[in-house]
Amino acid sequence: MWIRNLLRSMLLGVPIGVTFLDTIGYVARVEGISMQPALNPESKNTDYVFLSRWAVKDYSIHRGDIISLVSPKDPNQKIIKRVVALEGDIVSTLGYKNQYVRVPEGHIWVEGDHTGHTLDSNTFGPVSLGLVNARAICIVWPPERWQALEAKIPNHRKPVSTQK
């Protein structure tokens, strides 16, 4: 009898869980120092964030959003960066092959908050919107760091010119 109840629970629970993870979101561990001070402000502690897939389902991404995306350098790796510029914006780069870049249509410019300690668009250039898979909404662990994540760009990294 208990085996039948277990199977029935699994037959209902697994598809519901998979659907939730694929459409709504999931919790992910943030590793490294590239997003300091917003994430992992102390190297010894690791932040866990809720990543909302629902928030980017229609590619509604704004300047300042912290997003998760597939790394253009390694498709097996997911990275978390801040959106600095949207398509049509002109951005002043930090060590990229051109000093100024106009972000092409269907692309964004992403950077880590810890300048100089991050692999971001200054390394690999504008990123296709198709690589974006979620937006970081809030820090969920550790408890003393519970907070919503602000969509803001540091003043020294704002685009030179914006399209919208």
Side-chain angles (χ1 to χ4, degrees), residues 54-163:
W54 192 262
V56 297
K57 70 179 175 49
D58 59 354
Y59 299 109
S60 84
I61 297 169
H62 304 91
R63 288 177 204 90
D65 285 349
I66 297 175
I67 59 167
S68 169
L69 62 146
V70 175
S71 170
K73 288 280 192 191
D74 179 4
N76 296 318
Q77 182 182 23
K78 289 184 182 169
I79 58 176
I80 291 184
K81 302 294 175 203
R82 187 177 302 276
V83 177
V84 171
L86 304 173
E87 59 185 37
D89 291 354
I90 298 173
V91 67
S92 171
T93 68
L94 301 170
Y96 188 61
K97 59 186 174 185
N98 301 325
Q99 184 178 0
Y100 296 98
V101 172
R102 179 181 296 276
V103 180
E105 186 175 332
H107 289 71
I108 54 176
W109 189 269
V110 297
E111 294 183 359
D113 287 356
H114 198 174
T115 306
H117 299 285
T118 177
L119 292 176
D120 53 25
S121 286
N122 288 298
T123 304
F124 44 72
V127 175
S128 171
L129 284 171
L131 296 177
V132 176
N133 54 36
R135 180 164 55 102
I137 302 294
C138 58
I139 299 172
V140 297
W141 194 262
E144 64 271 9
R145 298 246 322 122
W146 284 349
Q147 62 184 292
L149 293 169
E150 274 187 77
K152 65 177 185 170
I153 306 172
N155 286 332
H156 68 283
R157 293 308 305 142
K158 292 192 177 185
V160 174
S161 170
T162 59
Q163 190 68 17

